[in-house]
Amino acid sequence: MNAQGKLSRIQYISSFPIDSLAALIGSLICLSLSPIFIRLSELEIGPNATAFNRFWIAAVAFGLLNSWLNGGQQKQYAEPEAHKTPLGAETRLLIADGLLLAMGTVCWTWSLTQTSVANSSIIHNLIPIFAILGGWLAFGKLFDRRFILGMFVAIAGVMLLEINELFSFRIGSQIVGDLAALVSAIFFGVHPLIAEQLRTKFNSVTIMTWSSTTSCILLLPVTVFGKEQLFPSSLTGWFSVIALAVVGQMLGIGLWTYCLKKISSGFASLVGLIVPVFSALEGWAILSEPITFLALVSFVVILVGMYLAISSRSAIKSPIESANS
């Protein structure tokens, strides 16, 4: 019986959608680079302006890509759902997705100006808890014990990565930034639930075109009202916001939305906990920042959590769910 169970688990893991997993890993590598571009951009313009430029550049690029995919030459490659005109409830969901992305991004970028990167990252990475809780409350989604165990193990690994910051936590001026990071985690936790529902009707490019457009429209008055400089004034500033739009939004969020066709939103959010690992490795490779023994231990713990989640039945959608996507 035990041998049969192991064989069944091996067969299950071997059936994991490789294309979706590759898209998810690619998106997380891109998202791990976002804080670097955000910091560079905020040397010249404010957090709201940074988010606004990120979204309007992505909206234009996604709009052009969407038009190209829906052109005569590409009809055979585009998903049938991409030709549907969003109406009624679907339009509201598309707009809500853009609203969540806009507010979540604003809260996160602003938190980076009010608290430490470590505190902001720890709190922001609580996204899986809100995604899984929201899926259970709103859609009645159930996750097996192996998946839940993997989630808590991975979160413990992230906490271990910043254990010094946790022990030095003080109630002070940075508490506002910490709360902003928590709100961003809630917004980004609800976002995958909506994106997953939209993925059953539209392709990822259509969803990202709508969400990016909605986000930039919502952020324009916020930026103007906040009296922030709207656009960068140097080549470095423009490079930062363009890189943020292409790497963070188009590739990061775009690939992540694509993978929701076959991978559950709870699992996609959980795997996002590995972003700090990528960020640390990038800091070591690009900036020659040392990686401590404690960081290596935390990486191992996070990977153990990832394995438990991947090998659970809650990680991927059933063939029926995927077929309906």
Side-chain angles (χ1 to χ4, degrees), residues 77-95:
Y77 300 109
E79 296 179 23
E81 292 81 5
H83 301 290
K84 294 184 178 180
T85 301
L87 295 172
E90 294 168 0
T91 301
R92 290 193 291 272
L93 278 179
L94 286 164
I95 294 175

Side-chain angles (χ1 to χ4, degrees), residues 66-83 203:
N66 197 38
S67 298
W68 179 65
L69 287 176
N70 289 333
Q73 279 186 319
Q74 300 297 326
K75 284 184 178 180
Q76 56 180 329
Y77 300 109
E79 296 179 23
E81 292 81 5
H83 301 290
N203 63 26

Side-chain angles (χ1 to χ4, degrees), residues 98-270:
L99 175 62
L100 288 169
L101 275 179
M103 299 310 298
T105 302
V106 167
C107 289
W108 186 38
T109 54
W110 187 72
S111 75
L112 290 170
T113 68
Q114 302 297 311
T115 188
S116 68
V117 174
N119 274 18
S120 179
S121 297
I122 290 171
I123 299 172
H124 182 74
N125 280 310
L126 295 177
I127 290 173
I129 294 178
F130 297 109
I132 292 171
L133 181 62
W136 174 61
L137 292 174
F139 303 108
K141 292 185 177 182
L142 299 177
F143 298 87
D144 60 28
R145 278 183 279 185
R146 191 179 183 88
F147 183 89
I148 297 299
L149 176 61
M151 179 186 73
F152 282 110
V153 169
I155 290 176
V158 175
M159 298 298 183
L160 187 62
L161 185 63
E162 302 295 348
I163 194 168
N164 291 332
E165 288 289 337
L166 286 174
F167 284 133
S168 64
F169 178 79
R170 298 185 302 274
I171 301 298
S173 58
Q174 70 178 28
I175 190 65
V176 177
D178 295 336
L179 288 174
L182 179 62
V183 174
S184 77
I186 296 174
F187 282 133
F188 278 105
V190 177
H191 158 68
L193 300 174
I194 293 180
E196 187 177 21
Q197 296 300 308
L198 289 170
R199 199 67 179 89
T200 65
K201 297 291 184 181
F202 310 105
N203 63 26
S204 56
V205 176
T206 300
I207 296 171
M208 293 308 301
T209 301
W210 272 78
S211 64
S212 298
T213 302
T214 302
S215 296
C216 76
I217 292 174
L218 291 170
L219 285 169
L220 178 58
V222 174
T223 305
V224 173
F225 181 75
K227 298 182 179 179
E228 294 182 17
Q229 179 180 325
L230 196 58
F231 300 108
S233 56
S234 70
L235 289 177
T236 302
W238 277 110
F239 167 78
S240 301
V241 294
I242 292 173
L244 182 61
V246 174
V247 177
Q249 187 69 14
M250 293 192 69
L251 295 177
I253 304 296
L255 287 173
W256 192 88
T257 302
Y258 168 83
C259 80
L260 292 178
K261 182 177 182 179
K262 297 178 181 177
I263 295 178
S264 70
S265 57
F267 175 71
S269 299
L270 176 60

